[in-house]
Amino acid sequence: MRRIMEAGRLCLGLLASGRGSNFDAIMTAIIRRELNATMAVVISDNRDAAVLQKAKVHNVKNRFVNPRDFNSKSEYEQHLVELLQAESVDVVVLAGYMRIVGSVLLDAYQDRVVNIHPSLLPSFMGLHAQRQAVEYGVKYSGCTVHLVDEGMDTGPIIMQAVVSVAQDDDEDSLATRILVEEHKIYWRCLQLLAEGRIYLEGRRIFIC
Ligand code: GAR
């Protein structure tokens, strides 16, 4: 069993493509001193992402990086790694980052890229997880925080929260209720990392 990281204050870099409500929830936990971390930089692949404005409000460095400015995904990710390392980031937080992370970023941050996904993985990977859950007819869905590996939404699971699906739910109503749980569990997982309490054996995570 291998400890993911020693206890200590985390230096976070957050990648996001859109709204940024998870960013806000993490910032709130930092400000309340419930999460022992600093938010070093927010990077978005979307020029218009609201998360960039939210970062400005919190005086957090923020960058738009256009993947189209690069010849390949590897070159794009190499640039991300340089930005993250320049800020001494030790954990990369994906919060609504709508791209599959490739080997360049994963090699630079092995077992230190975390993601939140709005379903109980391994159910409903990929896009529109909440719509998939409603259409499938499951009675429970939820959200999952996991380490990122080279697959899509396949990495070792740190924590999940369950949300019941009502008969009259649609994608939006379910997404809204799942989001409430996302905002509760993401920063808690990061705090467990900060406390040095997360261990990995195979693909199983142990919280000790
Ligand atoms: C969240 O629901 C998150 O779980 C989801 O995008 C939303 C981002 O919201 N992520 C994925 O679907 C990743 N596969 P936010 O920008 O308000 O944090």
Side-chain angles (χ1 to χ4, degrees):
M1 201 155 70
R2 187 163 54 80
R3 196 186 218 176
I4 299 288
M5 58 197 303
E6 299 298 313
R9 174 177 286 254
L10 302 179
C11 182
L12 304 176
L14 186 136
L15 304 188
S17 305
R19 180 178 51 187
S21 70
N22 276 289
F23 164 75
D24 262 343
I26 291 166
M27 285 308 299
T28 300
I30 291 174
I31 291 163
R32 288 186 180 155
R33 297 179 188 269
E34 292 169 322
L35 170 56
N36 184 19
T38 53
M39 184 63 74
V41 64
V42 170
I43 302 173
S44 183
D45 57 339
N46 171 10
R47 188 191 308 271
D48 302 320
V51 71
L52 292 174
Q53 296 307 319
K54 289 183 169 152
K56 278 182 199 151
V57 170
H58 284 286
N59 281 321
V60 171
K61 274 189 194 168
N62 54 91
R63 301 267 181 279
F64 161 58
V65 180
N66 190 346
R68 293 186 187 165
D69 289 344
F70 300 86
N71 290 322
S72 64
K73 178 169 175 160
S74 298
E75 284 182 23
Y76 162 65
E77 288 200 346
Q78 189 52 46
H79 184 65
L80 297 186
V81 168
E82 283 160 18
L83 290 176
L84 294 163
Q85 288 180 341
E87 302 299 335
S88 305
V89 165
D90 46 32
V91 174
V92 180
V93 177
L94 308 185
Y97 180 65
M98 294 312 200
R99 287 176 187 275
I100 295 175
V101 174
S103 56
V104 171
L105 185 52
L106 290 175
D107 288 348
Y109 283 96
Q110 203 197 356
D111 296 331
R112 287 167 181 229
V113 183
V114 287
N115 182 42
I116 189 154
H117 183 76
S119 75
L120 293 176
L121 291 172
S123 292
F124 313 129
M125 296 165 172
L127 292 176
H128 300 294
Q130 305 94 330
R131 185 192 302 169
Q132 293 183 56
V134 169
E135 288 178 353
Y136 195 92
V138 291
K139 304 303 182 196
Y140 295 94
S141 189
C143 49
T144 303
V145 177
H146 64 94
L147 297 181
V148 176
D149 64 12
E150 300 232 0
M152 186 179 59
D153 303 324
T154 53
I157 292 171
I158 302 172
M159 197 180 285
Q160 296 183 302
V162 178
V163 171
S164 54
V165 183
Q167 298 202 106
D168 59 355
D169 262 329
D170 58 17
E171 179 178 8
D172 288 344
S173 62
L174 181 60
T176 300
R177 290 207 316 291
I178 290 176
L179 203 59
V180 172
E181 301 306 315
E182 293 186 37
H183 296 166
K184 290 181 196 165
I185 68 167
Y186 210 177
W187 69 265
R188 286 186 196 281
C189 291
L190 297 173
Q191 178 58 18
L192 289 170
L193 273 176
E195 291 170 8
R197 292 178 56 197
I198 300 196
Y199 294 76
L200 186 63
E201 186 175 66
R203 61 160 292 117
R204 294 181 70 194
I205 296 262
F206 295 86
I207 297 169
C208 300

